[in-house]
Amino acid sequence: MSLRPTIDFLLHDWLKVENLQSRERFTDHSRETFDAVLDTCERIAREKYAPFNRLVDTQEPHFDGEKVILPQATHDAYKAYAESGMLSAAQDYEIGGMQLPYTVEAAANAFFAMASVSIGSGMLTSGNANLLMVHGTDLQKHVFAANEFSGRFSGTMCLSEPQAGSSLSDVTTRATPDGEGFEDDALGARYRLKGNKMWISSGEHELSENIIHLVLAKIPDANGQLVPGVKGISLFIVPKKMVDTNGQLTGERNDVALAGLNHKCGWRGTTNTLLNFGEGKYPVRGNAGAVGYLVGKPGEGLRCMFHMMNEARIGVGMAATMLGMAGYYASLDYAKNRPQGRPTGAGGKDASQPQVRIIEHADIKRMLLAQKAYSEGALALALYSARLVDEQHTGTAEDADVARLLLEVLTPIVKSFPSEWCLEANSLAIQIHGGYGYTRDFPVEQYWRDNRLNMIHEGTHGIQAMDLLGRKVLMENGRGLQLLAERMLATAAKAESNWAPEAGALRDALQQVSQATQQAWAGAEPAQALANAVPYLQAFGHTVIAWIWLDVANSLGNDNSPAAQGRRAACRYFFRYELPKIGAWLNVVRSRDATCADLPEEAF
């Protein structure tokens, strides 16, 4: 099966992305230019990514003592992606970009994520450069961001540390001023960093000329002590190789050393590293300490980094979504071609009759429909959110502010719903394959392994849940949640004539979520309110996907094509089989159930 018809439907028939052409930024574009971008990305993904997905899974990165070795296929894929211009697709013409709507960019990148998420397609590099375009100086943009957009340099984000994990307030990497005149360096206030960073994707390789690390570190106070908490965190540009003010390599290596490669259950084609900063292996100008250039102001590193973190969270959600879609297409193909079993009639099964293909069994259809509902629903949500990004950047001041708030509320869902439920889709894909599903003769076991990482990538499920219930639905007096509710109710009103039961169910679900939000915080301490944040996230996510599916289904009108029938069935499935689950999840939220929180560790 091809992903393209689904992408075309969501972009053009549902989101009406051509309407963006009326915006000044996108006046040079048309359906033809959008299609040309999609055509190019689809071709590169088909030729340079998909054929090597198993290869990069089995031929993991390894260190030969001097450099990290990756298969030639990874080098070829990186080169093709960089040459396509997709690293700078949404950037201004003046810096070599296409001024492409982010909605189209996100859709185009979906082809790469489905073909081989393990090879990767530059998510961190684009995010790194985009952060610098917002928070960097003009020279930092020219030297670092511009070279990342061209593919000459690549980028990382260095947050976690071996002892800290997701608890960024506990980072211990230190940044001290690099001698007299450190504040006057043209590339930014110059510091020396010392510390260790763990789980750094693409932290070491030979794919690009240089690697630009964005590193969180703390500047000691006057007494040499690190400021507790996140307020003391600053952000630094730490290139692997030193550069001059024209972006040219000086020939000197920065003091960043590979300490080891992490070997994960999935995403095996991507190097994942432990990096040592400033241990003295590569002294710069005779001194230990990795040279880093301050981004923004001291102490505001986390605020700057969130620009990249939020973009990465949406990217992880898209990766999880496309792994779900890949498993769905693989199991659908298998179900159409695998004969097994016979239909049950009034007298039972007749063994003399020929076998039927397993797609003729009701339970196989259930599992296929679940995969479609999870994955295509998540894809629609991701593209809807991408459309909000375009609104935030090019809409009127009022519309941009609305888009900003909606994105604040939806980002934890865009990251977490596909990370959990498209993983479940991958599990169902294995189930449909039966015993063959967990062998390497078929791709679905790899899809599951690759996807299992996404519930942890860029903030775990629990972190996203606490962010949603503890901050996002409360911010600005709950205005973001109110705006989302208004859109849901508007969809329900439009769908009333053709989808009355579903419209009513959506209104009821929204009411349940709103009541649970209020009751969770009614006189409660934060620890009590957030004890069941994950069930809240699950219920909230299911309500959002139900809304998305109802909006999609209602947009079909009188279309009775097989694709439209499938989307209507996926909508009905989600409302009948999935949405009713939210009652159980929200019950523990409303009551602030303490079964888990109060159990002493000795009882486990």
Side-chain angles (χ1 to χ4, degrees):
M1 272 185 81
S2 171
L3 173 66
R4 183 61 177 274
T6 299
I7 292 287
D8 284 344
F9 167 79
L10 292 173
L11 284 182
H12 302 296
D13 298 309
W14 181 52
L15 290 175
K16 311 293 186 187
V17 74
E18 288 89 351
N19 292 344
L20 288 170
Q21 295 162 215
S22 63
R23 308 278 171 91
E24 181 179 355
R25 182 171 182 80
F26 306 127
T27 52
D28 291 342
H29 289 294
S30 63
R31 173 71 184 260
E32 287 70 28
T33 62
F34 295 160
D35 283 349
V37 170
L38 296 175
D39 289 343
T40 299
C41 292
E42 186 178 22
R43 177 184 56 78
I44 295 172
R46 182 177 62 250
E47 295 175 357
K48 301 294 186 180
Y49 284 69
F52 307 104
N53 190 45
R54 177 63 79 185
L55 173 73
V56 299
D57 183 64
T58 56
Q59 295 185 18
E60 293 186 64
H62 66 276
F63 184 56
D64 69 356
E66 294 184 4
K67 58 186 179 182
V68 170
I69 306 299
L70 291 165
Q72 182 60 41
T74 303
H75 289 263
D76 295 341
Y78 179 86
K79 183 174 184 288
Y81 186 80
E83 290 177 349
S84 75
M86 286 303 295
L87 286 166
S88 59
Q91 297 301 315
D92 294 346
Y93 293 135
E94 288 75 12
I95 62 169
M98 303 184 211
Q99 292 190 190
L100 198 69
Y102 180 65
T103 314
V104 178
E105 178 188 0
N109 278 321
F111 293 109
F112 300 102
M114 193 171 88
S116 181
V117 73
S118 189
I119 291 178
S121 55
M123 176 183 75
L124 291 177
T125 297
S126 293
N128 180 308
N130 287 337
L131 181 152
L132 293 176
M133 293 301 293
V134 174
H135 298 289
T137 65
D138 288 342
L139 193 59
Q140 287 173 345
K141 296 173 188 178
H142 173 72
V143 171
F144 300 110
N147 281 304
E148 290 182 272
F149 285 136
S150 73
R152 182 173 164 238
F153 296 171
S154 58
T156 74
M157 57 191 298
C158 299
L159 290 79
S160 298
E161 298 181 1
Q163 83 291 341
S166 299
S167 182
L168 296 181
S169 62
D170 295 318
V171 301
T172 58
T173 299
R174 303 168 70 94
T176 56
D178 185 26
E180 292 186 13
F182 78 97
E183 292 178 311
D184 300 324
D185 195 299
L187 290 175
R190 190 181 65 251
Y191 289 74
R192 292 282 183 147
L193 277 68
K194 294 186 178 181
N196 314 102
K197 293 294 181 178
M198 177 62 107
W199 313 121
I200 309 307
S201 296
S202 301
E204 180 60 44
H205 55 74
E206 302 295 321
L207 297 172
S208 57
E209 211 176 302
N210 203 358
I211 301 175
I212 309 304
H213 303 291
L214 284 178
V215 184
L216 292 181
K218 292 185 175 181
I219 302 172
D221 61 19
N223 298 316
Q225 301 299 310
L226 298 183
V227 178
V230 299
K231 292 183 178 180
I233 295 175
S234 300
L235 181 63
F236 301 88
I237 299 168
V238 183
K240 173 184 172 180
K241 300 174 183 178
M242 303 301 292
V243 301
D244 62 22
T245 53
N246 293 314
Q248 298 304 309
L249 303 186
T250 65
E252 188 172 24
R253 174 79 182 258
N254 203 356
D255 197 8
V256 183
L258 177 69
L261 293 174
N262 300 309
H263 297 282
K264 297 185 175 184
C265 74
W267 290 59
R268 291 179 174 177
T270 301
T271 55
N272 190 274
T273 62
L274 169 61
L275 298 177
N276 291 341
F277 290 84
E279 67 175 0
K281 185 173 183 178
Y282 303 103
V284 182
R285 295 188 294 278
N287 296 317
V291 173
Y293 306 101
L294 182 68
V295 178
K297 297 179 180 179
E300 295 188 0
L302 199 57
R303 182 181 71 86
C304 296
M305 185 60 94
F306 261 111
H307 185 96
M308 185 176 182
M309 289 167 66
N310 284 332
E311 187 172 329
R313 286 170 177 174
I314 294 174
V316 166
M318 180 64 87
T321 296
M322 301 322 298
L323 283 164
M325 292 289 280
Y328 168 55
Y329 288 159
S331 58
L332 176 59
D333 181 69
Y334 184 84
K336 287 180 176 180
N337 291 285
R338 167 72 173 180
Q340 186 172 313
R342 292 164 179 84
T344 301
K349 294 182 180 180
D350 184 353
S352 67
Q353 294 298 310
Q355 290 180 314
V356 297
R357 296 167 304 134
I358 62 173
I359 197 171
E360 298 180 49
H361 299 305
D363 195 52
I364 298 294
K365 291 182 178 180
R366 175 189 64 83
M367 290 188 281
L368 288 169
L369 202 49
Q371 291 180 70
K372 180 179 178 66
Y374 298 148
S375 302
E376 194 171 326
L379 177 58
L381 173 62
L383 294 180
Y384 181 88
S385 299
R387 180 64 181 79
L388 289 175
V389 172
D390 285 322
E391 196 64 33
Q392 187 179 7
H393 291 162
T394 64
T396 64
E398 181 180 355
D399 289 344
D401 190 55
V402 168
R404 173 189 63 84
L405 266 175
L406 287 170
L407 278 167
E408 290 279 10
V409 176
L410 287 175
T411 294
I413 307 303
V414 176
K415 190 274 178 185
S416 291
F417 179 89
S419 297
E420 179 172 5
W421 296 100
C422 291
L423 177 68
E424 174 61 17
N426 291 136
S427 181
L428 293 173
I430 293 174
Q431 190 74 13
I432 287 173
H433 280 73
Y436 290 106
Y438 42 73
T439 71
R440 289 197 170 190
D441 298 321
F442 292 85
V444 288
E445 61 84 26
Q446 182 185 345
Y447 296 147
W448 189 94
R449 284 189 290 105
D450 285 341
N451 218 352
R452 184 58 187 84
L453 277 61
N454 288 320
M455 285 181 72
I456 297 174
H457 278 160
E458 303 308 329
T460 65
H461 217 48
I463 288 172
Q464 302 299 328
M466 289 189 287
D467 181 44
L468 178 67
L469 180 56
R471 191 166 73 92
K472 294 298 179 64
V473 297
L474 303 178
M475 63 190 302
E476 300 184 26
N477 296 316
R479 182 166 167 253
L481 179 57
Q482 180 184 352
L483 289 169
L484 183 61
E486 289 172 0
R487 296 207 171 191
M488 290 184 177
L489 292 173
T491 293
K494 287 190 296 183
E496 189 66 51
S497 59
N498 295 318
W499 295 85
E502 288 77 12
L506 179 60
R507 283 191 288 264
D508 178 67
L510 177 60
Q511 184 178 24
Q512 289 187 60
V513 169
S514 299
Q515 289 176 345
T517 306
Q518 295 171 358
Q519 291 169 341
W521 285 104
E525 295 295 326
Q528 292 177 314
L530 298 175
N532 295 294
V534 167
Y536 179 86
L537 174 75
Q538 291 169 314
F540 200 108
H542 263 51
T543 302
V544 167
I545 295 296
W547 160 56
I548 290 289
W549 266 119
L550 185 58
D551 203 68
V552 167
N554 195 56
S555 74
L556 295 169
N558 296 321
D559 183 358
N560 201 36
S561 65
Q565 293 178 40
R567 292 189 175 101
R568 290 191 186 94
C571 180
R572 287 192 294 270
Y573 171 87
F574 202 87
F575 273 87
R576 297 175 186 180
Y577 287 73
E578 295 294 330
L579 190 59
K581 294 176 181 177
I582 73 167
W585 290 326
L586 292 177
N587 278 341
V588 296
V589 178
R590 280 191 291 262
S591 64
R592 299 196 290 273
D593 186 89
T595 300
C596 302
D598 288 352
L599 187 66
E601 63 180 81
E602 296 80 10
F604 284 97

